[in-house]
Amino acid sequence: MEFTTTQTIEILGTIAFAISGSFAAMQRRLDPFGVLIIAFVTSIGGGTVRDMLLGDTPVKWMRDVNYCLLILVTSLLTIFFKTHIKKFKITLFLFDSLGLGLFTVLGIQKGIAFGLSPGICIALGTITGCFGGIIRDTLLNTIPLIFRKEIYATACIIGGLLYFLLLQFNLKADVAKILVIVFIFALRIVVVRYKLALPKFGY
């Protein structure tokens, strides 16, 4: 079976966010069922919000049960191998950053497929990348990353702008997708490593 670049990105993004959701749940010492639920909402949350905004219903995971099975298998494997992974926080961060890049590109592509303007496509990419994490953190009683000082949604927006800029230079869409995914992933690592943040406004 052959996969398109977009399908491959969707599968990898689902796996990345399922792993990040599983680790976030295990950090809070949830039982296996709780881990599965958190992994599920992390993986499908952003895409579900995006598809509902576009009126593309039933949403993707309802039409293709394979995505649910993928999340289930990924979560179970993550639980099984958790004893071999000592640094939960670093693992969670890396997979969350990877999922952010993958799903941002996926959301942009969905907007393009619907013939929407670049600005709206970038907004859809940001929603797709961020909302799963927002739901995950809310359920775990944690302030979502997007509302903290870390550069999170901003990385999606910059990545989206970069994607359309690359297309203007006649770069192939598949190459632009890969470059943007790597850019968002790398940007997240840099801003956290050097503790970069947007300025705060006092009252």
Side-chain angles (χ1 to χ4, degrees):
M1 182 178 179
E2 294 184 359
F3 292 98
T4 65
T5 304
T6 299
Q7 288 172 325
T8 302
I9 290 172
E10 191 163 19
I11 291 170
L12 293 175
T14 301
I15 292 172
F17 267 159
I19 293 174
S20 78
S22 297
F23 272 103
M26 286 189 290
Q27 276 189 316
R28 302 305 292 267
R29 299 185 181 278
L30 270 62
D31 63 21
F33 181 73
V35 172
L36 176 60
I37 294 299
I38 297 300
F40 189 79
V41 299
T42 306
S43 297
I44 59 90
T48 298
V49 174
R50 176 201 66 216
D51 289 350
M52 290 177 67
L53 288 172
L54 291 171
D56 185 17
T57 55
V59 294
K60 185 67 176 285
W61 61 269
M62 290 183 173
R63 285 177 281 156
D64 190 349
V65 71
N66 288 324
Y67 285 96
C68 297
L69 294 176
L70 180 62
I71 295 169
L72 173 62
V73 171
T74 302
S75 300
L76 292 176
L77 289 174
T78 304
I79 293 171
F80 180 77
F81 286 107
K82 72 179 179 67
T83 55
H84 302 285
I85 301 173
K86 303 300 182 183
K87 297 182 179 180
F88 270 27
K89 188 173 182 180
I90 294 176
T91 305
L92 169 58
F93 167 71
L94 291 176
F95 278 102
D96 188 66
S97 299
L98 179 60
L100 186 69
L102 290 162
F103 271 20
T104 297
V105 168
L106 195 64
I108 291 171
Q109 289 299 301
K110 192 67 175 277
I112 292 173
F114 273 73
L116 301 176
S117 68
I120 298 301
C121 290
I122 293 172
L124 288 174
T126 304
I127 289 170
T128 308
C130 294
F131 266 72
I134 291 174
I135 298 171
R136 174 197 67 204
D137 293 343
T138 301
L139 290 176
L140 293 175
N141 198 30
T142 303
I143 298 174
L145 278 172
I146 193 174
F147 300 137
R148 292 187 236 167
K149 66 179 182 179
E150 284 187 22
I151 293 176
Y152 195 78
T154 308
C156 301
I157 295 170
I158 297 174
L161 292 171
L162 176 62
Y163 179 77
F164 285 103
L165 180 62
L166 291 173
L167 293 184
Q168 290 298 312
F169 285 95
N170 296 319
L171 196 67
K172 288 185 178 180
D174 286 348
V175 176
K177 292 174 191 176
I178 295 171
L179 289 176
V180 169
I181 291 167
V182 172
F183 172 79
I184 294 174
F185 179 72
L187 179 60
R188 284 281 296 140
I189 292 175
V190 169
V191 298
V192 171
R193 171 67 177 82
Y194 294 100
K195 298 180 181 179
L196 304 177
L198 295 175
K200 295 181 180 179
F201 296 98
Y203 292 95

